[in-house]
Amino acid sequence: MPELPEVETTVRGLATVLAGERLTRVMVRRPDLRRPFPPDLVQALTGARVVALGRRAKYGLIQTDRGRTMVFHLGMSGRWRIDPGEIGKHDHLVLETARGRVLALNDARRFGSVDLVDTAALDAFGPFAALGPEPLGPGLTVAHLAQAFDGRVAAVKLVLLDQGVVAGLGNIYVCEALHRARIHPERAAGAVSRAALSRLVLEIRAVLEEAIEAGGSTLRDYARPDGELGYFAKEWRVYGREGKPCGCGGTVRRIVQGGRSTFFCPRCQK
């Protein structure tokens, strides 16, 4: 599933084509993805000007001058295609701009979603209402994590995946950040020291920023809107590297936590 860096990369790619542009044609080519398309999507977007693009957690935001924002989630395999040579059977939503640019939301598995929300009410939108701070924003601090972790006996890896603690963190980047911060993924969250929390905040930001710069980590069908593949997977230090050497001289292990694979080095992560 595309994670935060992949969504951020997607939004930045869309901004190069959509920012400030008027949408002259909107085509919904099937009734639903994971859930039905908004019934007024075509009417609300046709003729609207895109005034801003953004991201909240793993959702992309396309804001218009009509006070409505299209919120999209890429699901398992969704991606936007810019100026495709032809519209394919998995291009379920197509936008055309006044400059003749075409953007197609492609989702073969149809686990993605599209919603239309009043811009002024975005914070109250169901999936956003209980989200924690953005990991790249000012709200992610040592004090915030200390308060969120206080008294928690659950494993720190699982607590970090709680979207109410930090918005948008996914499995790959939690594994990588914990490794860089030298924190064992099974350690009780409440037992993580302030010094380790300081390292963790820095490494969460660093790994996400590096992944965004690299265009994300290509997983199965993910690609950037321009069709290029992200290459941050080449920089993974532990994720997907079970049995391979860690930079410290240890060997990467894999365990299962909460039904998900966790990769870590038992030598340098304590």
Side-chain angles (χ1 to χ4, degrees):
M1 178 181 293
E3 293 197 22
L4 185 154
E6 287 76 45
V7 179
E8 180 68 26
T9 300
T10 292
V11 169
R12 293 184 184 187
L14 293 177
T16 64
V17 178
L18 280 180
E21 295 299 317
R22 190 168 299 282
L23 301 176
T24 55
R25 190 180 184 196
V26 178
M27 292 181 287
V28 174
R29 305 183 69 243
R30 62 168 298 112
D32 57 12
L33 294 177
R34 177 158 45 98
R35 55 177 178 269
F37 281 103
D40 58 340
L41 184 68
V42 173
Q43 180 179 357
L45 295 186
T46 303
R49 187 178 298 279
V50 176
V51 296
L53 293 97
R55 177 192 53 76
R56 182 69 169 113
K58 299 177 186 178
Y59 291 82
L61 311 175
I62 301 176
Q63 182 180 337
T64 73
D65 61 354
R66 293 179 176 174
R68 309 291 297 280
T69 294
M70 189 178 84
V71 180
F72 66 85
H73 193 287
L74 296 173
M76 295 293 291
S77 61
R79 63 189 182 97
W80 284 94
R81 301 200 301 147
I82 295 178
D83 296 328
E86 60 181 19
I87 300 301
K89 68 176 182 178
H90 298 307
D91 292 326
H92 305 308
L93 173 64
V94 180
L95 309 178
E96 294 185 13
T97 74
R99 293 179 183 266
R101 306 300 297 272
V102 176
L103 299 100
L105 179 57
N106 184 283
D107 190 352
R109 300 185 184 184
R110 293 190 284 111
F111 288 150
S113 63
V114 170
D115 293 282
L116 198 58
V117 182
D118 289 340
T119 303
L122 271 175
D123 288 344
F125 175 53
F128 296 172
L131 287 177
E134 287 287 325
L136 295 176
L140 180 61
T141 63
V142 173
H144 169 74
L145 287 185
Q147 181 179 21
F149 288 5
D150 187 37
R152 301 285 293 272
V153 297
V156 62
K157 159 76 181 302
L158 298 180
V159 175
L160 285 173
L161 288 175
D162 181 345
Q163 299 297 290
V165 174
V166 184
L169 281 185
N171 197 40
I172 294 172
Y173 299 102
V174 170
C175 288
E176 291 293 307
L178 286 172
H179 176 258
R180 291 177 178 219
R182 306 189 304 280
I183 300 171
H184 196 290
E186 292 182 307
R187 187 191 302 183
V192 180
S193 68
R194 296 280 296 204
L197 288 179
S198 295
R199 297 195 304 270
L200 182 58
V201 168
L202 291 175
E203 296 300 349
I204 287 172
R205 295 183 188 279
V207 72
L208 292 176
E209 288 170 351
E210 290 171 24
I212 291 168
E213 183 66 23
S217 301
T218 300
L219 289 175
R220 296 190 179 95
D221 302 324
Y222 172 73
R224 299 184 302 192
D226 60 7
E228 294 296 319
L229 300 178
Y231 57 87
F232 188 70
K234 297 178 181 178
E235 305 299 323
W236 291 345
R237 300 183 186 182
V238 288
Y239 190 84
R241 302 189 73 249
E242 180 182 12
K244 296 183 179 179
C246 172
C248 74
T251 301
V252 175
R253 286 186 54 199
R254 173 187 173 273
I255 58 175
V256 176
Q257 292 180 286
R260 299 182 184 183
S261 292
T262 294
F263 297 89
F264 71 104
C265 174
R267 178 172 178 175
C268 63
Q269 290 177 253
K270 304 297 183 181

